[in-house]
Amino acid sequence: MQLPYDFPRASVQPLIRPWIPKWRLEDLALWGGPPAFPEPLHVGRPNIPDRRRFFERLEDILDRRWLTNNGLYVQEFERKVAAMLGVKHCVAVCNATVGLQVAAQALGLEGEVILPSFTFVATAHALRWLGLTPVFCDIQPDTLTLDPDRIEELITPRTSGIVGVHVYGSVCDVDRLEALAAHHKLSLMYDAAHAFRCSREGRMVGGNGQAEVFSFHATKVLGTFEGGAVTTNDDEVDRKLRRAISFGLNREDEVVAIGTNAKMPEVSAAMGLTALESLDEWLAINRSNYAAYREKLEEIPGVSIIPFDGPESRNYQYVIIRVDEERAGLSRDTLVEALRAENVLARRYFYPPCHLMKPYRPSASGEPATLPVTERVSSQVAALPTGTAVGPSEIQQVCQLIRLCVEHGREIGERILLRNRVPALPTA
Ligand SMILES: *Cc1c(COP(=O)(O)O)cnc(C)c1O
């Protein structure tokens, strides 16, 4: 396979790291030896765009002394994102968490809101912070997104809306959610933090529901240090969003609604515009990283990579594996522990699911939510390092480590148990 690594710009070349080959159980750093990688391999290491272009923009911002409040760079960034996604309006914001809040407010959400538990906790926090009650719904086992068949049983007279999450860039069943929302007169919006430049049936994410919320956090495929955007085709929602992100002010500087400060500063927009210029290269690297992982992992029993097949546009922001403990002989947690010892900082993403986190666990008297698919998937998944800081030789080594762990799965499990056992007190 031809890998697109012959870029002239240093910024898109992966770091070349020396690594220690490991072939035997005894080589594993779990037992105290040196890690395979002398330096950590991170999930979500930021992609850095052309810094000369970024500094030029930054100089211009400083020369103009227009640092924030809907500046020229924010306006250009919003135009370019809207055009790229084929959506009428894009409102740049300071981050996606606050973006979710202003979107929820613009849609008039109140009372209970249905959302998946299998998401980053920010989705739930954003709603709870507004005084809304998150009602967690299970996911489909194949797409890992909201299960439309499980939604109606959760609707009560207090339900006002549905928030879908395009987990790992796997786009929700937007048609069925749309139909459900329309039938029950509910609002519908999406957390699209994972889905920048992902499509469903050829349509880019951005125009689904009444609003979609993107994250441009440094760890996402397109980073603006901190940042995000809310996109919508609805003029009224756009008007409310623009008001909300700037203290509830209208164009005449009258306060006409409760607002907050969710503005994206110019420096972030400059970073975003520069990143957009490298985005196609980054997506190509992510795609070949994904293909390299898939090829190597295919041969390992019990470990599978979440498939992204077919003609849709994907960002491959995350490489997610599922560990079937029965077949692999070791659990996801043990595998992650072994990889982390080797400086492969794999992450349990998402674990635990939101409904089992302390602030969202039902009170002692309440019925605990049972979300069997969510709980099973959450115990099996792990994110592996990808992005422009990772190249084919590292991927080969990461996969070799996984293979080694699976080959000795049961033995590793037993040795960890022994190691963690508290030594018995000496008897006199
Ligand atoms: C990253 C992320 C967020 C939060 O984005 P911020 O821009 O960091 O606030 C929300 N939801 C999901 C699914 C995310 O991955």
Side-chain angles (χ1 to χ4, degrees):
M1 183 181 37
Q2 185 70 30
L3 294 168
Y5 284 123
D6 51 340
F7 292 118
R9 277 187 240 145
S11 59
V12 293
Q13 276 172 3
L15 311 173
I16 305 298
R17 297 181 189 76
W19 40 264
I20 304 172
K22 302 213 171 184
W23 305 105
R24 300 170 312 138
L25 177 62
E26 295 313 316
D27 297 337
L28 289 177
L30 267 179
W31 325 126
F37 292 94
E39 279 178 56
L41 237 59
H42 294 274
V43 170
R45 193 101 193 259
N47 295 327
I48 305 298
D50 186 329
R51 54 185 84 194
R52 224 188 43 238
R53 293 282 293 142
F54 173 64
F55 289 145
E56 277 166 16
R57 289 185 163 111
L58 191 52
E59 293 274 9
D60 186 49
I61 289 169
L62 299 178
D63 287 344
R64 288 171 188 276
R65 294 188 186 233
W66 189 354
L67 307 186
T68 186
N69 287 9
N70 199 28
L72 293 178
Y73 285 90
V74 160
Q75 291 176 29
E76 185 185 347
F77 183 63
E78 289 180 342
R79 270 197 312 275
K80 291 212 161 125
V81 169
M84 182 176 267
L85 304 182
V87 63
K88 194 165 175 195
H89 304 286
C90 168
V91 180
V93 291
C94 57
N95 63 57
T97 307
V98 177
L100 286 163
Q101 290 173 347
V102 289
Q105 195 223 33
L107 266 53
L109 296 190
E110 53 185 22
E112 295 172 5
V113 178
I114 295 170
L115 75 162
S117 170
F118 190 66
T119 178
F120 181 56
V121 71
T123 325
H125 278 350
L127 301 173
R128 195 71 196 86
W129 195 262
L130 293 178
L132 302 167
T133 305
V135 175
F136 295 111
C137 180
D138 214 349
I139 52 172
Q140 294 174 316
D142 50 351
T143 64
L144 309 183
T145 55
L146 267 185
D147 186 346
D149 290 330
R150 300 257 79 90
I151 287 181
E152 279 184 312
E153 64 206 56
L154 300 173
I155 295 174
T156 74
R158 282 175 39 78
T159 308
S160 67
I162 301 171
V163 178
V165 182
H166 308 307
V167 172
Y168 311 139
S170 164
V171 184
C172 294
D173 188 343
V174 293
D175 300 322
R176 284 198 57 202
L177 293 177
E178 193 85 55
L180 272 168
H183 182 71
H184 294 277
K185 300 196 168 44
L186 301 175
S187 299
L188 175 63
M189 60 181 253
Y190 293 95
D191 178 337
H194 292 185
F196 190 67
R197 285 280 298 262
C198 295
S199 70
R200 184 170 191 277
E201 288 168 7
R203 267 204 345 259
M204 283 290 167
V205 168
N208 298 304
Q210 287 153 286
E212 302 211 65
V213 182
F214 294 92
S215 171
F216 303 131
H217 183 253
T219 55
K220 305 298 205 273
V221 68
L222 184 101
T224 61
F225 300 105
E226 293 271 359
V230 188
T231 54
T232 181
N233 282 315
D234 184 323
D235 296 344
E236 180 65 14
V237 170
D238 174 65
R239 204 174 54 78
K240 287 183 175 167
L241 287 169
R242 294 195 180 279
R243 209 166 64 187
I245 66 166
S246 188
F247 311 105
L249 295 165
N250 70 5
R251 291 223 169 78
E252 284 74 45
D253 276 4
E254 253 180 302
V255 174
V256 290
I258 302 289
T260 183
N261 180 0
K263 297 183 287 343
M264 175 183 274
E266 287 289 90
V267 64
S268 287
M271 185 70 162
L273 285 165
T274 315
L276 282 176
E277 292 164 1
S278 290
L279 184 61
D280 286 333
E281 292 168 24
W282 294 343
L283 295 179
I285 291 172
N286 278 359
R287 194 182 321 118
S288 33
N289 282 352
Y290 173 84
Y293 269 119
R294 187 174 58 187
E295 192 191 313
K296 302 266 168 2
L297 292 173
E298 243 161 27
E299 311 143 17
I300 305 178
V303 175
S304 56
I305 189 163
I306 290 197
F308 287 119
D309 297 323
E312 300 295 347
S313 171
R314 299 285 189 187
N315 61 29
Y316 300 98
Q317 180 170 299
Y318 300 101
V319 169
I320 303 290
I321 54 167
R322 278 180 81 165
V323 183
D324 175 348
E325 187 171 352
E326 282 291 298
R327 289 185 55 226
L330 85 175
S331 67
R332 182 273 314 269
D333 288 356
T334 304
L335 180 61
V336 167
E337 187 183 343
L339 289 175
R340 293 185 74 96
E342 307 293 350
N343 255 338
V344 178
L345 303 187
R347 294 194 45 206
R348 300 185 296 180
Y349 194 66
F350 310 105
Y351 176 85
C354 295
H355 72 287
L356 299 179
M357 289 178 176
K358 197 170 167 208
Y360 298 106
R361 282 200 298 249
S363 60
S365 56
E367 276 284 302
T370 49
L371 305 174
V373 182
T374 297
E375 286 164 30
R376 185 173 72 245
V377 171
S378 177
S379 72
Q380 293 180 328
V381 287
L384 299 178
T386 187
T388 55
V390 177
S393 85
E394 283 120 357
I395 291 173
Q396 190 181 335
Q397 172 67 349
V398 171
C399 293
Q400 167 56 22
L401 289 168
I402 294 174
R403 176 196 307 276
L404 183 60
C405 289
V406 169
E407 271 168 11
H408 300 282
R410 288 183 211 286
E411 228 174 316
I412 292 171
E414 282 159 19
R415 283 174 70 162
I416 286 179
L417 268 183
L418 273 177
R419 192 191 61 186
N420 294 350
R421 189 174 292 166
V422 182
L425 286 174
T427 45

